[in-house]
């Protein structure tokens, strides 16, 4: 598992890539071992995930108080959903790498995407999830505020990832648009389908 010092280097590298500085690639290991090691990022996301799942469980029980499923089963379903959110983008990047002919960049894109997920997980699960849960108790105005916060977070994540793709990939804009859009779309579709199949969707 990467140490705290290594993770700081990775996050610093991400910041340089966002700013358009290709020197941000230096901390990342893009060997086969490095790609596999980048999935340790999920361990660094674990505290945020636990917080987010707890609030999601409370939100679920508030929407469906009549359901008598066990918390253990619910958290197991959350684990499956989280696994999909790591596997689907990886598979999508590999497929797009073949189709759009940027296979030499796939390894670094997978590694960078995995480490980018760490700050995104804390923003989503530690900040947005509690705010969303508490807002339901304070009327429509608070709900609109949460929608605005969620939209801001989504737009910021897409813009930051776009900056990273611009630095790492270069090349035609349409390739970067297709990469960002199709990877995000594949993840959303698969996760939503899994939510419906496992019965944990709130909509």
């Amino acid at each position: 598992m990467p140490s705290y010092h290594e993770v700081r280097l990775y996050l610093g590298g991400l910041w340089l890539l966002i700013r358009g500085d290709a020197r941000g690639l230096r901390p990342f290991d893009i060997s086969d071992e490095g790609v596999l090691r980048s999935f340790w990022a999920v361990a660094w996301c674990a505290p945020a995930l636990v917080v987010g799942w707890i609030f999601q469980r409370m939100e679920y029980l508030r929407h469906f108080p009549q359901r008598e499923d066990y918390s253990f089963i619910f958290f197991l379903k959350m684990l499956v959903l989280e696994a999909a959110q790591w596997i689907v983008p990886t598979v999508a990047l590999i497929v797009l790498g073949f189709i759009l002919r940027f296979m030499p960049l796939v390894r670094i894109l997978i590694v960078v995407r995995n480490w980018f997920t760490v700050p995104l997980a804390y923003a989503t699960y530690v900040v947005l999830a509690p705010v969303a849960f508490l807002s339901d108790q304070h009327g429509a105005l608070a709900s609109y505020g949460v929608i605005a916060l969620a939209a801001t977070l989504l737009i910021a994540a897409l813009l930051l990832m776009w900056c990273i793709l611009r630095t790492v990939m270069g090349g035609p804009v349409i390739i970067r648009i297709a990469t960002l859009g199709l990877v995000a779309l594949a993840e959303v579709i698969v996760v939503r389908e899994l939510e419906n199949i496992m019965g944990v969707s709130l909509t």
Side-chain angles (χ1 to χ4, degrees), residues 140-151:
L141 184 60
S143 296
Y144 289 133
V146 171
I147 293 172
L149 178 60

Side-chain angles (χ1 to χ4, degrees), residues 6-60:
E6 289 176 285
V7 174
R8 284 187 60 188
L9 289 178
Y10 297 150
L11 297 181
L14 287 174
W15 179 241
L16 288 176
L17 293 175
I18 289 168
R19 294 174 58 189
D21 190 340
R23 289 177 297 178
L25 292 172
R26 291 178 181 173
F28 298 105
D29 180 1
I30 60 171
S31 65
D32 290 342
E33 182 182 352
V35 172
L36 292 175
R37 197 164 181 260
S38 71
F39 285 92
W40 275 108
V42 71
W44 282 92
C45 295
L49 297 179
V50 171
V51 171
W53 293 351
I54 290 171
F55 279 101
Q56 284 177 290
R57 175 62 174 168
M58 291 190 293
E59 187 72 20
Y60 178 81

Side-chain angles (χ1 to χ4, degrees), residues 68-118:
E68 298 181 352
D69 53 342
Y70 295 102
S71 294
F72 171 76
I73 300 299
F74 181 87
F75 291 131
L76 189 59
K77 291 176 180 179
M78 291 296 101
L79 185 61
V80 172
L81 289 173
E82 188 62 29
Q85 290 179 298
W86 290 78
I87 294 171
V88 171
T90 299
V91 174
L93 282 170
I94 293 171
V95 172
L96 288 172
F98 276 114
I99 296 174
L100 301 179
R101 300 180 180 178
F102 59 81
M103 277 304 295
L105 298 175
V106 167
R107 287 182 180 183
I108 186 60
L109 290 176
I110 292 172
V111 171
V112 167
R113 186 265 169 193
N114 284 347
W115 289 111
F116 179 76
T117 304
V118 175

